[in-house]
Each structure stands twice: as C-alpha cells, then as structure tokens.
Amino acid sequence: MSDVPLETSISTAARPPEDAALLAVPFAADLDPPVGLPVPAAALLACYEAKGEAGEIVEVPVARGEAVGRILLYGIGDGSADALRKAGAAVTRRGRGREEIAVVPPPGASAAAVAAFTEGALLAAYTFRIGETAPSSRPVASIRLVTGTPGDDGGTGDATETGETGTGDARETGETGTAAVESGIARGRAVAGAVALARDLANTPASVKTPAWLAERAAEQGVATRIWDERELRAGGFGGILAVGQGSVSPPRLIQLSYEPEGEATGHVVLVGKGITYDTGGLSLKPTEGMKFMKTDMAGGAVVIAVLGALAALGARVRVTGLVAAAENSFSGTAQRPSDVITQYGGRTVEVLNTDAEGRLVMADALAYADAELDPDVMVDIATLTGAIGIALGKGLGALFASDDGLAAELAGAGEASGERLWRMPLIDDYVPALESSVADLANIEVGSAYGAGSITAALFLREFTGGRPWAHLDIAGVGRSTVDEGLSAKGATGFGVRLLLEWLSGR
C-alpha cells in the first residue's frame, strides 16, 4: 500500500509528557476515573451529570506546575469496538488545533480495543482541503498512547491493567501490554489509512480525476495492476464501459488489481467497483443540484482500490482481484443517446433508456468479465448506484443484495463488527420483467412504471451478468457521502465499505 498521508500520527509513550497540556483518560458508568483530579471523581462526574457514554467528554483544568493543563475524561460506554471508535473520534475532535494529546488507552488495552480506538481517532482527524487550513481547524498533529504508569504527575494508574468494566467485544479477549497496544495501533492505522485513501480519491475534483488519473493512483498501491485503455477495451468487447465514456474527452479505463497472499490462498474473491469519475447524467442530464456531488460517483471504485492496497498489511489469506470500471459520463455530440442499443462484454445487448443509469452498464462489463475469465468463488460489487436507496435506508445503512444467504450473513456480520452496518434488501424475481426490452436482451431501467423499485431492479440488472455465482451487491449511494463533519465522518466522501470489506476479507 502506498503511504497514505494521515494528518494525525499515533504512537506510544511509556509516560505522558510532564508538560502535557492535554491528557485524555477513560471512564464509564462502572469505572472510576484516575486520581489526580482537583476534586473527588464522584463529585466531579455528578456535577457534569456524566454517564460515561461512548464519545462523552468531560474537560477538567489541572495544575501543571505554574501552568494549567487539562484532563479529558472520555466515555467508553460498554467498551465495544463501536463505542471505542466513538470515543477515539471524540478525543481527536476535542484536540483539534493542538500539537499533541497524551491518551491513556481503554481498560485492558487489548489489540482489538486499541485498533478500534485508533480507527475512530484517525478517521475523525481526516480533512480534505485544497488551500490553507486555519490553525484552529487543523486536526491534532500527534496522539501518544500511554503504555506505562504515569506516577504522581497525573495519577492515572497502569494503563495495561485489565479493566473489569463493560461487556463489549473489543475488551473480552486479547493479550494486553505494550505489544498489544503497538499491534492495535498498526491495524487501526492500516484500516484508517485505507479509508483516508478512498476518501481522498473520491474527494478529488473531476478536473483532475480522469479515468486515466484514477488508474495511475490504483497502480501505486503495491499490487499487480493491469489497465485497459480505450483501444484495448474496444478490442475486448467492453461495450458498456465504452458507451458510457464515449461522450467525454477523457477516455475510459478498466483497472484490474490483484492481491496474492503468501502461502496457499483460502479462496478467490472478486471485488467490482463503480468508477464514474464524474456523472452529468449524459444526455439524460441531471439538474444542477444533482450534479454537485458527482465527483464522488466513483466512491465504490475508490473503496476497491483502497481495500486491495491494505490487504497485505492485514495479512489477508484470501486471493482478491479488484476491478474498477472507470469512465466519465458526459454529454457531447458523441455521447450515447436514450434508445441506443449496446453490446456488453460477453454479448448481451442492452437498450439504454436512460443515460443516467450508467453505473450498471460499466459494472455489467466488469462482472461479466470476472465470471468468464477470473473464475472467482465469490463476487461482490460496490457502487453509489441509485438515489432510491438513500430514500429507503437514509444515511446510516448501506444496502446489501445477495444471491447467497451465507454470503449475505458474512457481509452483514462484517458490517456490524466494523461499524459499517448493512441492511439486506430483497431480490424479487417477480420484478425481472421490468427489465424486458422489445429490441434488446435487457433494458437498463424499468420499462414503464409498474414496479417502481429502482434499487431492486438495478440489482436485478447486475445479477444478470454474474453467471449464477455467489454474488452480493452493495449500494452505498446513501452512505457514501456525508454533509456534516462529525463523529467518524468528515464532510464529503465517507469511504464507506472499506472497513467492512477489510473485516470480511481478513477473516476469510
């Protein structure tokens, strides 16, 4: 994986610096905060009506010689991985504009707990800005996790002692001590770095982010890469990718990334990502409001690139091939027209009734190619595919469609464990007639309005190109972008899908 420039570094320290202006220590409903506070802990928490909920912060001034420092009491809730991510995010956000925060890790300091805390801290520190950032708005530059006993200067006790609070997964098992903290930091940093890469790729303006530029960034991830240019796409019969990209001055690309684990692989997974570097809607032109965020319409492709780049760092034992179908959906005299009939990879013909339903066209080529040439055990695609899914599930859940119940359960479990939750949606075979065309094998959108289930019919369209293999489709149109800067998310691309796919793949 290329070095992702996370703005906040995180490391360990045996003791908090004596002049630490900000020291963060954990507390929960059944966990007393450390000694060294200016008033008894119970009275202090009662004054603030603090309950120790995940992400709750109580800030207390303390004497630091002749200066004044501050202790942040950060709530860890039930100690679950999700709660610790929220806690890490809250600490980082409170430290914005500072050079350094010293942090006593969550009780137990298992690798899993530290990884979750690190993920949350680094994801909340993410920023993307072209130009100068005001100092007060910059994320904290450095976080030091304290692994030893601070002693009498702040009285926080041994950070490696096993705590007794909570029943969350992140603290139930796992070796403790400095080695576990270092291990947790490494995993958390690898995952957060991958998310940051996906966010960076999606947030980059389309004036820079052409399909060729995206292919160049993919080739930097330290795995074997193959790129099809427009000539090779034409020779290979990738009619969907070519049709979507033919209206743009920036030609399309198909990007293939290949990860091979050390030793015998446990299986072969193909990931397919939608890589529309900008989506005007084509001749079925979007309104201005609908176009404002379309530089992030390749968020699924960004997730695939980031995941492939991070697998080695996490020691994944499964073989993974990533395919990103990249094109700019523009309008011009050469753009495809509503009513055009195109031939997808493998020979299926599609009547294009709406050029703004373009993501499924490029992904159909990639899925058909994977089925015909790569012989995967499982295929999973991810895309900002339909606006309808945002209406159905809002901003908190990604949509999961799957042809296999076991695969659906695995992905849903990985979503819960990673904090990127999925909701399974139905593949209703009674809706397949919606895609019938009178002049081609398929239509790219519903003919008429008898069914009205736009996200379901889009998934059914993609299923047609999977060859009957175990397959899942993740529609992240509702969760792939954030309009607010809070919690683990920054305004703009979220990188949703990176954490859940890394969780799933590293456990196979």
Side-chain angles (χ1 to χ4, degrees), residues 53-55 75-88 116-117:
E53 295 176 350
I76 59 172
D78 63 0
S80 65
D82 193 50
L84 295 178
R85 290 188 195 97
K86 291 178 181 177
F117 184 90

Side-chain angles (χ1 to χ4, degrees), residues 9-179:
S9 66
I10 187 164
S11 58
T12 60
R15 304 283 189 277
E18 291 185 4
D19 59 348
L22 201 61
L23 174 64
V25 293
F27 79 103
D30 53 354
L31 173 67
D32 286 335
V35 298
L37 297 172
V39 296
L44 179 68
L45 296 178
C47 175
Y48 284 98
E49 298 182 347
K51 300 176 181 178
E53 295 176 350
E56 187 177 11
I57 295 285
V58 175
E59 185 170 336
V60 185
V62 294
R64 289 279 188 265
E66 296 183 357
V68 176
R70 293 183 180 276
I71 288 180
L72 291 184
L73 304 179
Y74 67 90
I76 59 172
D78 63 0
S80 65
D82 193 50
L84 295 178
R85 290 188 195 97
K86 291 178 181 177
V91 169
T92 296
R93 290 195 178 280
R94 186 58 67 96
R96 190 168 292 275
R98 295 180 180 270
E99 283 300 310
E100 184 175 89
I101 299 177
V103 179
V104 175
S110 70
V114 173
F117 184 90
T118 298
E119 267 184 46
L122 294 180
L123 290 175
Y126 174 86
T127 60
F128 183 90
R129 184 176 177 84
I130 299 172
E132 290 294 321
T133 302
S136 61
S137 299
R138 292 173 188 156
V140 59
S142 174
I143 297 173
R144 304 292 295 274
L145 292 185
V146 180
T147 60
T149 305
D152 295 332
D153 61 354
T156 59
D158 189 344
T160 65
E161 291 179 357
T162 301
E164 297 297 329
T165 67
T167 58
D169 295 341
R171 285 189 281 149
E172 287 181 355
T173 61
E175 185 179 350
T176 63
T178 301

Side-chain angles (χ1 to χ4, degrees), residues 40 81 94 97 113 154 167 172 189 222 226 248 266 283 370 375 379 386-387 472:
R94 186 58 67 96
T167 58
E172 287 181 355
R189 187 160 44 203
R226 179 183 177 187
S248 172
T266 57
L283 292 182
D375 192 27
M379 294 194 291
T386 64

